[in-house]
Amino acid sequence: RGHVCRVRPYGREAGYPDLQLLGIGNNGHIGFNEPDSCFSKGTHCVDLTESTIEANSRLFDNIEDVPRQAYTMGIHTIMNAYMVLVIANGEKKAQAVHDMCFGPIQPSCPLLSCSCHPNCVVIADDAAVALQVIFAALPLGLGLRAEALFDCADAWTPAGE
């Protein structure tokens, strides 16, 4: 936790990122912001879910070596970036991508917060968009989703951190 306290002031002093590059987890997490009952604000330490630990086990010799915790930027910091670029690949991401386009905004799928961002672009392969019946009709910037935008701009302001 001491590391997080040292990192936070630098983010405020330097400003928020111009570009936030995000991969998504099978469960819809972004930047290790795991599904939760509320959206996190600033940089923090998280306990990784079993599905995230299992997904990352391919990077280690033994599953026991996979970290159980990670430090991550919170949704507040991510949403204050000038542009959010989300990369989605594979069929295991299809439900999360579909939910981002059509589902209600809720912290049980952190990826959904990106649909509130006014400058969000998703780059996805065919497998990740397999559930998009009308995907070609969606704007590139998912921030144009009218039902998501009505109040989201005020939810993540720098003063609220």
Side-chain angles (χ1 to χ4, degrees):
R1 297 202 190 276
H3 296 292
V4 172
C5 293
R6 288 194 297 268
V7 170
R8 279 188 188 140
Y10 295 114
R12 282 193 292 270
E13 289 172 16
Y16 291 96
D18 288 332
L19 174 66
Q20 182 71 50
L21 175 63
L22 298 170
I24 65 172
N26 298 341
N27 62 2
H29 78 255
I30 52 174
F32 289 122
N33 286 284
E34 296 283 6
D36 203 347
S37 59
C38 63
F39 287 116
S40 60
K41 284 189 171 189
T43 303
H44 61 287
C45 183
V46 295
D47 293 323
L48 302 179
T49 63
E50 285 303 316
S51 66
T52 300
I53 292 167
E54 186 177 317
N56 285 312
S57 67
R58 72 187 191 288
L59 305 171
F60 296 85
D61 292 332
N62 300 304
I63 196 162
E64 294 80 24
D65 296 334
V66 180
R68 298 314 197 239
Q69 292 183 312
Y71 288 103
T72 186
M73 286 184 177
I75 299 297
H76 171 81
T77 306
I78 291 168
M79 293 301 292
N80 274 287
Y82 174 75
M83 178 180 200
V84 174
L85 179 61
V86 178
I87 308 296
N89 66 310
E91 62 186 38
K92 291 182 178 179
K93 312 295 173 71
Q95 187 63 55
V97 172
H98 178 270
D99 291 347
M100 180 176 61
C101 296
F102 301 106
I105 309 304
Q106 55 191 7
S108 61
C109 183
L111 176 63
L112 297 173
S113 65
C114 292
S115 66
C116 290
H117 197 284
N119 197 13
C120 178
V121 174
V122 177
I123 298 175
D125 64 9
D126 289 342
V129 295
L131 299 178
Q132 308 309 333
V133 177
I134 57 168
F135 191 81
L138 292 173
L140 286 179
L142 294 178
L144 298 177
R145 234 177 71 160
E147 69 273 14
L149 270 182
F150 71 95
D151 220 2
C152 288
D154 295 329
W156 293 282
T157 59
E161 186 168 13

